Amino acid sequence: MVLLLHLPRFPLYFITSSHSLPLRALSTSSKTTLLRPPKSTITTSEPVTVTSPSATELSLEKLFIPPETTVSLDTARVLNGSNILLSKYANDALISQAEFVKSSVKTEDCPSDGLPEFALVGRSNVGKSSLLNSLVRRKKLALTSKKPGKTQCINHFRINDSWYLVDLPGYGYASAPHELRMDWEKFTKDYFLNRSTLVSVFLLIDASIPAKKIDLDYASWLGQNQIPMTIIFTKCDKRKKKKNGGQRPEENVDDFQDLIRGFFQSVPPWIMTSSVTNQGRDEILLHMAQLRNYWLKH
């Protein structure tokens, strides 16, 4: 069976309820099609994804299907540790060059060359700068610190002279002055709403701890404002002690998805990562490549 999906330019996630968190997953169709993440067939010129033998089966309605993607139940490829189907646009994913360009405090001060960009945002101390360094394989491209709240501007990093990674201020840093937190929130949200070259926001969620309300609220705001979003679960190599929840990262990932399911009409794409083991690095680059190449074509 082959399904040909023609989706909008970008998948938009609309909130169905913004007043309360769902306590259980919404009911699904009684007829379910399951896809197993297969072994990678990516050429040696692209990052290689390795499929875990214990990879969980995914139902079709839980998959993120990129625009103009043909879904064959026999040949469909799901990126490892994610719900994302690989599309024909997943090429030129390797990063060969990365450089810091500038810091801005206003959207209008950001680079004006029209190159596509991906913004990384998350709660303070979620591992955002570490992930950015992992993606480009450089330890000090983005400043990392044990003190949260170090990123205070919109920081643009040009990749391969053809697109940008954007490091945004973390949210939820209680020790920052109230006025500074409000400024960060104002110019970050203004950037989301008005940056025409923004392909997608990558929202980072700490998978080593149970879901936090501030993260759920941020995800719901992005959905309410129809901002294209990918959820990046970080610290998937860690497990907190029993007093801090004691769940495996996979369990926290499942719980977070259950909690946001009521916010969206279609499931957002998500990827499990670790900056320590580089889990998810190649999957993020392939996902960015297929979104970016589709954006450039259209």
Side-chain angles (χ1 to χ4, degrees):
M1 180 176 72
V2 176
L3 302 176
L4 182 62
L5 287 89
H6 295 284
L7 302 184
R9 176 174 178 177
F10 294 112
L12 301 180
Y13 315 118
F14 300 98
I15 293 183
T16 58
S17 174
S18 59
H19 302 292
S20 61
L21 300 180
L23 298 180
R24 60 183 182 277
L26 299 180
S27 59
T28 57
S29 171
S30 59
K31 183 178 180 181
T32 301
T33 303
L34 297 178
L35 294 177
R36 290 180 181 274
K39 293 182 179 180
S40 172
T41 56
I42 302 173
T43 64
T44 54
S45 63
E46 299 293 345
V48 176
T49 54
V50 180
T51 301
S52 169
S54 61
T56 304
E57 291 183 335
L58 293 172
S59 58
L60 191 59
E61 63 268 20
K62 291 184 179 180
L63 289 173
F64 171 78
I65 304 173
E68 296 182 5
T69 299
T70 301
V71 181
S72 169
L73 301 185
D74 297 323
T75 62
R77 291 183 289 168
V78 181
L79 293 178
N80 191 39
S82 82
N83 70 332
I84 301 170
L85 281 183
L86 198 63
S87 79
K88 63 181 181 181
Y89 291 102
N91 51 65
D92 297 326
L94 292 176
I95 290 181
S96 59
Q97 182 183 3
E99 61 177 337
F100 172 75
V101 175
K102 67 177 301 188
S103 295
S104 310
V105 294
K106 295 180 180 179
T107 304
E108 53 266 33
D109 294 335
C110 293
S112 57
D113 50 18
L115 296 178
E117 56 195 50
F118 298 89
L120 306 181
V121 69
R123 188 167 45 83
S124 294
N125 209 30
V126 73
K128 179 165 50 66
S129 295
S130 295
L131 177 65
L132 194 155
N133 291 333
S134 173
L135 290 176
V136 301
R137 294 192 186 279
R138 286 172 59 179
K139 293 183 178 180
K140 296 182 180 180
L141 182 69
L143 181 64
T144 59
S145 173
K146 292 184 178 180
K147 182 180 179 181
K150 204 66 177 177
T151 303
Q152 300 180 9
C153 299
I154 304 172
N155 297 313
H156 275 76
F157 300 87
R158 187 162 50 229
I159 308 299
N160 298 346
D161 282 328
S162 60
W163 57 282
Y164 287 105
L165 281 172
V166 184
D167 189 12
L168 295 174
Y171 55 83
Y173 181 39
S175 297
H178 176 73
E179 295 80 7
L180 187 56
R181 294 202 308 271
M182 294 301 293
D183 285 344
W184 292 349
E185 180 177 346
K186 182 179 179 181
F187 74 67
T188 299
K189 290 186 174 180
D190 179 76
Y191 166 84
F192 290 149
L193 294 170
N194 298 304
R195 186 64 171 167
S196 61
T197 53
L198 176 63
V199 178
S200 182
V201 174
F202 280 55
L203 176 63
L204 276 60
I205 304 296
D206 187 345
S208 70
I209 59 175
K212 288 187 172 291
K213 185 178 183 300
I214 191 172
D215 291 327
L216 296 167
D217 289 345
Y218 213 96
S220 70
W221 184 90
L222 289 170
Q224 186 177 36
N225 289 277
Q226 303 180 24
I227 309 297
M229 176 188 73
T230 296
I231 301 173
I232 302 298
F233 292 104
T234 66
K235 305 183 183 181
C236 290
D237 59 298
K238 296 183 178 181
R239 176 177 175 174
K240 296 295 185 180
K241 296 179 180 179
K242 284 289 184 183
K243 65 179 181 179
N244 293 326
Q247 295 194 119
R248 294 181 296 112
E250 293 83 358
E251 294 175 298
N252 290 326
V253 168
D254 288 342
D255 288 347
F256 191 89
Q257 292 178 73
D258 286 342
L259 288 169
I260 68 169
R261 189 168 296 149
F263 296 158
F264 306 102
Q265 289 184 348
S266 58
V267 61
W270 55 265
I271 302 173
M272 296 179 65
T273 72
S274 166
S275 60
V276 175
T277 66
N278 281 329
Q279 173 188 354
R281 176 188 181 272
D282 295 344
E283 287 75 15
I284 289 176
L285 293 180
L286 281 168
H287 180 52
M288 286 181 171
Q290 60 188 19
L291 293 180
R292 182 175 69 250
N293 291 327
Y294 181 83
W295 184 90
L296 288 169
K297 181 179 178 181
H298 295 82

Short mmCIF file of all heavy atoms in Angstrom, two decimals, residues 10 17 19 35 37 68-69 88 104 108 130 134-135 146-147 149 153 164 170 176 208 211 244 250 270 275 279 283 298:
data_model
loop_
_atom_site.label_atom_id
_atom_site.label_comp_id
_atom_site.label_asym_id
_atom_site.label_seq_id
_atom_site.Cartn_x
_atom_site.Cartn_y
_atom_site.Cartn_z
N PHE A 10 4.48 24.14 5.49
CA PHE A 10 5.01 23.66 6.75
C PHE A 10 3.87 23.06 7.54
O PHE A 10 2.78 23.59 7.55
CB PHE A 10 5.65 24.79 7.56
CG PHE A 10 6.86 25.37 6.92
CD1 PHE A 10 6.85 26.65 6.45
CD2 PHE A 10 8.01 24.61 6.79
CE1 PHE A 10 7.96 27.19 5.85
CE2 PHE A 10 9.13 25.16 6.20
CZ PHE A 10 9.12 26.45 5.72
N SER A 17 -6.73 22.91 23.12
CA SER A 17 -7.06 23.33 24.48
C SER A 17 -5.85 24.00 25.09
O SER A 17 -4.78 23.45 25.09
CB SER A 17 -7.45 22.13 25.35
OG SER A 17 -7.63 22.54 26.69
N HIS A 19 -6.16 25.66 28.25
CA HIS A 19 -6.48 26.00 29.63
C HIS A 19 -6.10 24.92 30.62
O HIS A 19 -5.87 25.20 31.79
CB HIS A 19 -7.98 26.28 29.75
CG HIS A 19 -8.44 27.39 28.85
ND1 HIS A 19 -8.05 28.69 29.05
CD2 HIS A 19 -9.22 27.38 27.74
CE1 HIS A 19 -8.60 29.46 28.11
NE2 HIS A 19 -9.30 28.69 27.31
N LEU A 35 4.78 0.84 11.86
CA LEU A 35 6.01 0.87 11.09
C LEU A 35 7.18 0.68 12.04
O LEU A 35 7.22 1.30 13.09
CB LEU A 35 6.17 2.21 10.36
CG LEU A 35 5.16 2.53 9.27
CD1 LEU A 35 5.44 3.92 8.73
CD2 LEU A 35 5.24 1.51 8.15
N PRO A 37 11.22 1.20 12.68
CA PRO A 37 12.37 1.90 12.12
C PRO A 37 13.33 0.88 11.49
O PRO A 37 13.84 0.01 12.18
CB PRO A 37 13.01 2.57 13.36
CG PRO A 37 11.89 2.68 14.34
CD PRO A 37 11.05 1.46 14.11
N GLU A 68 5.23 16.21 0.69
CA GLU A 68 5.55 15.53 -0.57
C GLU A 68 6.29 14.21 -0.34
O GLU A 68 7.21 13.86 -1.09
CB GLU A 68 6.39 16.45 -1.47
CG GLU A 68 5.66 17.71 -1.91
CD GLU A 68 6.49 18.57 -2.85
OE1 GLU A 68 7.60 18.14 -3.24
OE2 GLU A 68 6.06 19.69 -3.16
N THR A 69 5.89 13.49 0.69
CA THR A 69 6.56 12.23 1.01
C THR A 69 5.66 11.04 0.68
O THR A 69 4.50 10.99 1.12
CB THR A 69 6.94 12.18 2.50
OG1 THR A 69 7.85 13.25 2.78
CG2 THR A 69 7.60 10.86 2.86
N LYS A 88 12.61 12.53 0.47
CA LYS A 88 13.53 12.70 -0.65
C LYS A 88 14.37 13.96 -0.53
O LYS A 88 15.37 14.13 -1.25
CB LYS A 88 12.74 12.75 -1.96
CG LYS A 88 11.78 13.95 -2.06
CD LYS A 88 11.01 13.92 -3.36
CE LYS A 88 10.06 15.12 -3.47
NZ LYS A 88 9.29 15.10 -4.74
N SER A 104 22.32 39.58 18.33
CA SER A 104 21.33 40.63 18.13
C SER A 104 20.35 40.63 19.30
O SER A 104 20.10 39.59 19.91
CB SER A 104 20.56 40.42 16.83
OG SER A 104 21.42 40.20 15.74
N GLU A 108 15.04 42.77 13.84
CA GLU A 108 15.45 43.54 12.67
C GLU A 108 16.98 43.68 12.57
O GLU A 108 17.50 44.07 11.52
CB GLU A 108 14.81 44.93 12.66
CG GLU A 108 15.01 45.73 13.93
CD GLU A 108 13.85 45.58 14.91
OE1 GLU A 108 13.26 44.48 14.95
OE2 GLU A 108 13.57 46.57 15.62
N SER A 130 25.55 22.87 24.51
CA SER A 130 26.25 21.60 24.33
C SER A 130 25.76 20.88 23.08
O SER A 130 26.54 20.30 22.33
CB SER A 130 26.06 20.70 25.55
OG SER A 130 26.66 21.27 26.70
N SER A 134 27.81 19.97 19.70
CA SER A 134 27.82 18.60 19.22
C SER A 134 27.45 18.53 17.73
O SER A 134 28.05 17.77 16.97
CB SER A 134 26.84 17.75 20.03
OG SER A 134 26.70 16.45 19.50
N LEU A 135 26.48 19.34 17.32
CA LEU A 135 26.04 19.33 15.93
C LEU A 135 27.17 19.73 14.98
O LEU A 135 27.33 19.15 13.90
CB LEU A 135 24.85 20.27 15.74
CG LEU A 135 23.52 19.85 16.37
CD1 LEU A 135 22.47 20.94 16.18
CD2 LEU A 135 23.03 18.54 15.77
N LYS A 146 28.19 26.19 33.50
CA LYS A 146 27.40 25.53 34.53
C LYS A 146 26.40 26.50 35.15
O LYS A 146 25.50 26.11 35.86
CB LYS A 146 28.33 24.96 35.62
CG LYS A 146 29.19 23.79 35.13
CD LYS A 146 30.02 23.20 36.25
CE LYS A 146 30.83 22.00 35.76
NZ LYS A 146 31.64 21.41 36.83
N LYS A 147 26.57 27.79 34.86
CA LYS A 147 25.63 28.79 35.34
C LYS A 147 24.59 29.05 34.27
O LYS A 147 24.92 29.51 33.17
CB LYS A 147 26.36 30.10 35.67
CG LYS A 147 25.44 31.18 36.23
CD LYS A 147 26.21 32.45 36.54
CE LYS A 147 25.29 33.53 37.08
NZ LYS A 147 26.03 34.78 37.37
N GLY A 149 21.51 30.67 32.01
CA GLY A 149 21.21 32.04 31.61
C GLY A 149 22.35 32.76 30.94
O GLY A 149 22.35 33.99 30.84
N CYS A 153 21.35 36.80 24.02
CA CYS A 153 21.03 37.46 22.76
C CYS A 153 20.58 36.41 21.74
O CYS A 153 20.61 35.21 22.00
CB CYS A 153 22.26 38.22 22.22
SG CYS A 153 22.87 39.53 23.29
N TYR A 164 21.69 28.92 8.75
CA TYR A 164 22.06 29.34 10.10
C TYR A 164 21.51 28.40 11.18
O TYR A 164 20.39 27.88 11.05
CB TYR A 164 21.52 30.73 10.39
CG TYR A 164 22.21 31.87 9.69
CD1 TYR A 164 21.59 32.50 8.61
CD2 TYR A 164 23.46 32.33 10.09
CE1 TYR A 164 22.20 33.56 7.95
CE2 TYR A 164 24.08 33.38 9.44
CZ TYR A 164 23.45 33.99 8.37
OH TYR A 164 24.06 35.03 7.72
N GLY A 170 17.80 31.01 27.04
CA GLY A 170 16.98 30.03 27.73
C GLY A 170 15.90 30.71 28.55
O GLY A 170 16.03 31.88 28.93
N ALA A 176 17.73 35.31 37.18
CA ALA A 176 17.90 36.50 36.35
C ALA A 176 16.93 37.58 36.81
O ALA A 176 15.82 37.29 37.24
CB ALA A 176 17.64 36.17 34.88
N SER A 208 15.67 13.67 31.12
CA SER A 208 16.12 12.96 32.32
C SER A 208 15.23 13.24 33.53
O SER A 208 15.41 12.64 34.59
CB SER A 208 17.57 13.35 32.65
OG SER A 208 17.65 14.71 33.10
N ALA A 211 8.15 15.86 33.01
CA ALA A 211 7.74 17.08 32.29
C ALA A 211 7.50 18.23 33.25
O ALA A 211 6.93 18.04 34.33
CB ALA A 211 6.47 16.80 31.48
N ASN A 244 13.89 12.06 42.32
CA ASN A 244 13.64 13.03 41.27
C ASN A 244 12.78 12.47 40.14
O ASN A 244 12.75 12.99 39.05
CB ASN A 244 14.97 13.53 40.69
CG ASN A 244 15.76 14.35 41.68
OD1 ASN A 244 15.16 15.06 42.49
ND2 ASN A 244 17.07 14.25 41.65
N GLU A 250 13.17 7.34 28.21
CA GLU A 250 12.11 6.93 27.29
C GLU A 250 10.72 7.11 27.91
O GLU A 250 9.76 7.48 27.23
CB GLU A 250 12.30 5.46 26.87
CG GLU A 250 13.53 5.20 26.03
CD GLU A 250 14.80 5.02 26.87
OE1 GLU A 250 14.71 5.15 28.11
OE2 GLU A 250 15.87 4.78 26.29
N TRP A 270 9.73 14.72 16.74
CA TRP A 270 10.59 14.70 17.93
C TRP A 270 11.77 13.77 17.71
O TRP A 270 11.72 12.82 16.93
CB TRP A 270 9.82 14.29 19.18
CG TRP A 270 9.09 12.98 19.10
CD1 TRP A 270 7.78 12.77 18.77
CD2 TRP A 270 9.64 11.67 19.35
NE1 TRP A 270 7.48 11.43 18.80
CE2 TRP A 270 8.59 10.73 19.15
CE3 TRP A 270 10.90 11.20 19.73
CZ2 TRP A 270 8.77 9.35 19.31
CZ3 TRP A 270 11.09 9.83 19.88
CH2 TRP A 270 10.04 8.92 19.67
N SER A 275 24.20 14.90 24.14
CA SER A 275 25.43 15.55 23.70
C SER A 275 26.66 14.80 24.21
O SER A 275 27.77 15.03 23.71
CB SER A 275 25.46 17.00 24.20
OG SER A 275 25.40 17.05 25.62
N GLN A 279 24.15 10.76 20.57
CA GLN A 279 22.88 10.18 20.12
C GLN A 279 22.01 11.28 19.52
O GLN A 279 21.87 12.35 20.08
CB GLN A 279 22.14 9.54 21.30
CG GLN A 279 20.74 9.05 20.96
CD GLN A 279 19.97 8.59 22.19
OE1 GLN A 279 20.52 8.53 23.30
NE2 GLN A 279 18.69 8.28 22.03
N GLU A 283 20.52 12.33 13.21
CA GLU A 283 19.09 12.43 12.93
C GLU A 283 18.64 13.88 12.86
O GLU A 283 17.81 14.24 12.00
CB GLU A 283 18.31 11.67 14.01
CG GLU A 283 18.39 10.15 13.93
CD GLU A 283 19.73 9.60 14.41
OE1 GLU A 283 20.49 10.34 15.07
OE2 GLU A 283 20.02 8.42 14.13
N HIS A 298 10.49 25.75 -2.17
CA HIS A 298 9.17 26.35 -2.21
C HIS A 298 9.16 27.80 -1.70
O HIS A 298 8.11 28.36 -1.48
CB HIS A 298 8.19 25.52 -1.38
CG HIS A 298 7.98 24.14 -1.95
ND1 HIS A 298 8.85 23.11 -1.72
CD2 HIS A 298 7.01 23.65 -2.74
CE1 HIS A 298 8.42 22.03 -2.34
NE2 HIS A 298 7.30 22.31 -2.97
#
